[in-house]
């Protein structure tokens, strides 16, 4: 069984990068993508992902406003803020807004992987083996 991920970011290149990283590093499947907070809530309700990667600076309903609504919908689903604006949350209790981790994009995609390992400790056991070398 593969972990299903919802990626929420208004920048397509970031969504593409996160998708490729989570697939290659963990074998996760992206079940949906959203570009704003309202779309994130709608897709989360419909798709019921196992993990949500959320940007703060998204249109219409930002990540800080969307996170508590996502938490209420899916109380057991980890939510990682993957953002350039993590400094805005310094001094905040992120659990109060429904977020499990904040990862600065400036720290690189491997930092996102570290948070995934922390929040989903069995994730490294779920990695899909590479196609090369498989026998039928």
């Amino acid at each position: 069984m593969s972990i299903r991920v919802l990626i929420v970011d208004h920048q397509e290149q970031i969504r593409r990068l996160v998708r490729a990283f989570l697939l290659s590093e963990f074998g996760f499947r992206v079940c949906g993508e959203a570009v704003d907070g309202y779309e994130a809530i709608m897709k989360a309700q419909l798709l019921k992902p196992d993990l949500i990667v959320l940007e703060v600076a998204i249109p219409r309903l930002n990540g800080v406003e969307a996170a508590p609504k996502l938490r209420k919908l899916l109380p057991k689903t980890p939510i990682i803020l993957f953002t350039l604006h993590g400094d805005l949350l310094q001094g905040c209790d992120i659990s109060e807004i429904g977020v499990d981790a904040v990862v600065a994009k400036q720290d690189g995609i491997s930092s996102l992987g570290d948070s995934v390992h922390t929040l989903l400790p069995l994730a490294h056991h779920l990695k899909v083996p590479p196609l090369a070398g498989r026998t039928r």
Side-chain angles (χ1 to χ4, degrees):
M1 181 186 101
S2 180
I3 299 290
R4 298 162 18 92
V5 182
L6 174 62
I7 301 171
V8 186
D9 198 300
H10 63 290
Q11 295 183 33
E12 183 181 345
Q13 64 270 31
I14 297 295
R15 293 193 314 270
R16 196 174 329 129
L17 174 71
V18 171
R19 181 185 333 114
F21 174 76
L22 292 175
L23 177 63
S24 68
E25 195 66 24
F26 299 102
F28 290 178
R29 184 170 70 85
V30 173
C31 64
E33 296 182 7
V35 297
D36 66 51
Y38 288 115
E39 187 181 13
I41 292 164
M42 182 190 72
K43 288 195 174 179
Q45 191 169 15
L46 179 70
L47 302 170
K48 310 239 183 310
D50 302 305
L51 173 67
I52 299 172
V53 178
L54 178 66
E55 166 61 89
V56 170
I58 50 177
R60 298 189 338 151
L61 187 68
N62 70 45
V64 173
E65 296 166 325
K69 295 172 184 351
L70 291 165
R71 173 64 65 221
K72 187 173 181 180
L73 271 175
L74 301 167
K76 295 183 183 195
T77 300
I79 299 172
I80 300 173
L81 283 182
F82 187 52
T83 183
L84 287 172
H85 307 285
D87 56 329
L88 297 175
L89 299 170
Q90 282 185 325
C92 292
D93 181 358
I94 60 170
S95 65
E96 285 185 14
I97 60 169
V99 173
D100 298 288
V102 177
V103 176
K105 288 180 181 175
Q106 304 90 308
D107 292 341
I109 195 81
S110 63
S111 292
L112 177 63
D114 294 342
S115 284
V116 169
H117 274 297
T118 300
L119 295 170
L120 299 169
L122 299 177
H124 63 281
H125 295 298
L126 299 172
K127 184 172 179 181
V128 177
L131 291 174
R134 281 191 189 173
T135 58
R136 293 184 184 243

